[in-house]
mmCIF file of all heavy atoms in Angstrom:
data_model
loop_
_atom_site.group_PDB
_atom_site.id
_atom_site.type_symbol
_atom_site.label_atom_id
_atom_site.label_comp_id
_atom_site.label_asym_id
_atom_site.label_seq_id
_atom_site.Cartn_x
_atom_site.Cartn_y
_atom_site.Cartn_z
ATOM 1 N N TYR A 172 -78.650 13.587 35.240
ATOM 2 C CA TYR A 172 -78.081 14.943 35.114
ATOM 3 C C TYR A 172 -78.389 15.527 33.725
ATOM 4 O O TYR A 172 -78.843 16.661 33.597
ATOM 5 C CB TYR A 172 -76.571 14.867 35.349
ATOM 6 C CG TYR A 172 -75.851 16.175 35.152
ATOM 7 C CD1 TYR A 172 -76.015 17.224 36.051
ATOM 8 C CD2 TYR A 172 -75.016 16.368 34.051
ATOM 9 C CE1 TYR A 172 -75.359 18.428 35.870
ATOM 10 C CE2 TYR A 172 -74.346 17.566 33.861
ATOM 11 C CZ TYR A 172 -74.527 18.594 34.778
ATOM 12 O OH TYR A 172 -73.877 19.781 34.597
ATOM 13 N N LEU A 173 -78.159 14.719 32.690
ATOM 14 C CA LEU A 173 -78.398 15.214 31.320
ATOM 15 C C LEU A 173 -79.892 15.447 31.088
ATOM 16 O O LEU A 173 -80.280 16.427 30.445
ATOM 17 C CB LEU A 173 -77.814 14.240 30.294
ATOM 18 C CG LEU A 173 -76.273 14.189 30.282
ATOM 19 C CD1 LEU A 173 -75.750 13.067 29.396
ATOM 20 C CD2 LEU A 173 -75.687 15.536 29.826
ATOM 21 N N LEU A 174 -80.728 14.558 31.624
ATOM 22 C CA LEU A 174 -82.185 14.758 31.509
ATOM 23 C C LEU A 174 -82.579 16.063 32.196
ATOM 24 O O LEU A 174 -83.381 16.838 31.678
ATOM 25 C CB LEU A 174 -82.938 13.599 32.169
ATOM 26 C CG LEU A 174 -82.988 12.278 31.404
ATOM 27 C CD1 LEU A 174 -83.603 11.198 32.281
ATOM 28 C CD2 LEU A 174 -83.781 12.428 30.106
ATOM 29 N N GLY A 175 -81.978 16.280 33.370
ATOM 30 C CA GLY A 175 -82.288 17.483 34.149
ATOM 31 C C GLY A 175 -81.944 18.760 33.388
ATOM 32 O O GLY A 175 -82.596 19.794 33.552
ATOM 33 N N LEU A 176 -80.932 18.683 32.548
ATOM 34 C CA LEU A 176 -80.557 19.868 31.749
ATOM 35 C C LEU A 176 -81.501 20.038 30.552
ATOM 36 O O LEU A 176 -81.444 21.040 29.861
ATOM 37 C CB LEU A 176 -79.120 19.725 31.240
ATOM 38 C CG LEU A 176 -78.001 19.926 32.257
ATOM 39 C CD1 LEU A 176 -76.644 19.612 31.626
ATOM 40 C CD2 LEU A 176 -78.003 21.363 32.788
ATOM 41 N N GLY A 177 -82.308 19.022 30.295
ATOM 42 C CA GLY A 177 -83.277 19.107 29.185
ATOM 43 C C GLY A 177 -82.898 18.298 27.956
ATOM 44 O O GLY A 177 -83.570 18.366 26.933
ATOM 45 N N HIS A 178 -81.827 17.520 28.024
ATOM 46 C CA HIS A 178 -81.430 16.727 26.851
ATOM 47 C C HIS A 178 -82.389 15.563 26.646
ATOM 48 O O HIS A 178 -82.821 14.920 27.612
ATOM 49 C CB HIS A 178 -79.996 16.192 27.023
ATOM 50 C CG HIS A 178 -78.977 17.279 26.956
ATOM 51 N ND1 HIS A 178 -78.488 17.771 25.767
ATOM 52 C CD2 HIS A 178 -78.377 17.999 27.937
ATOM 53 C CE1 HIS A 178 -77.621 18.738 26.024
ATOM 54 N NE2 HIS A 178 -77.539 18.904 27.333
ATOM 55 N N ARG A 179 -82.715 15.281 25.390
ATOM 56 C CA ARG A 179 -83.572 14.141 25.067
ATOM 57 C C ARG A 179 -82.896 13.238 24.035
ATOM 58 O O ARG A 179 -83.194 12.064 23.951
ATOM 59 C CB ARG A 179 -84.931 14.629 24.527
ATOM 60 C CG ARG A 179 -85.750 15.407 25.563
ATOM 61 C CD ARG A 179 -86.130 14.516 26.764
ATOM 62 N NE ARG A 179 -86.827 15.247 27.819
ATOM 63 C CZ ARG A 179 -86.241 15.764 28.897
ATOM 64 N NH1 ARG A 179 -84.930 15.632 29.072
ATOM 65 N NH2 ARG A 179 -86.947 16.405 29.803
ATOM 66 N N LYS A 180 -82.035 13.802 23.219
ATOM 67 C CA LYS A 180 -81.298 12.995 22.221
ATOM 68 C C LYS A 180 -79.902 12.753 22.788
ATOM 69 O O LYS A 180 -79.008 13.608 22.659
ATOM 70 C CB LYS A 180 -81.164 13.755 20.894
ATOM 71 C CG LYS A 180 -82.474 14.219 20.314
ATOM 72 C CD LYS A 180 -83.025 13.155 19.422
ATOM 73 C CE LYS A 180 -84.303 13.659 18.737
ATOM 74 N NZ LYS A 180 -84.935 12.622 17.936
ATOM 75 N N ILE A 181 -79.765 11.628 23.452
ATOM 76 C CA ILE A 181 -78.530 11.374 24.218
ATOM 77 C C ILE A 181 -77.878 10.082 23.732
ATOM 78 O O ILE A 181 -78.570 9.111 23.427
ATOM 79 C CB ILE A 181 -78.844 11.245 25.721
ATOM 80 C CG1 ILE A 181 -79.673 12.440 26.198
ATOM 81 C CG2 ILE A 181 -77.571 11.135 26.542
ATOM 82 C CD1 ILE A 181 -80.090 12.383 27.666
ATOM 83 N N ALA A 182 -76.553 10.074 23.672
ATOM 84 C CA ALA A 182 -75.851 8.852 23.256
ATOM 85 C C ALA A 182 -74.882 8.407 24.344
ATOM 86 O O ALA A 182 -74.399 9.216 25.150
ATOM 87 C CB ALA A 182 -75.083 9.114 21.962
ATOM 88 N N HIS A 183 -74.613 7.110 24.331
ATOM 89 C CA HIS A 183 -73.611 6.555 25.251
ATOM 90 C C HIS A 183 -72.552 5.839 24.419
ATOM 91 O O HIS A 183 -72.875 4.984 23.589
ATOM 92 C CB HIS A 183 -74.291 5.574 26.210
ATOM 93 C CG HIS A 183 -73.354 4.940 27.194
ATOM 94 N ND1 HIS A 183 -72.321 5.639 27.798
ATOM 95 C CD2 HIS A 183 -73.283 3.669 27.691
ATOM 96 C CE1 HIS A 183 -71.672 4.829 28.612
ATOM 97 N NE2 HIS A 183 -72.214 3.623 28.557
#
Side-chain angles (χ1 to χ4, degrees):
Y172 176 70
L173 291 172
L174 284 172
L176 286 174
H178 291 277
R179 295 297 176 264
K180 305 270 184 184
I181 309 178
H183 180 39

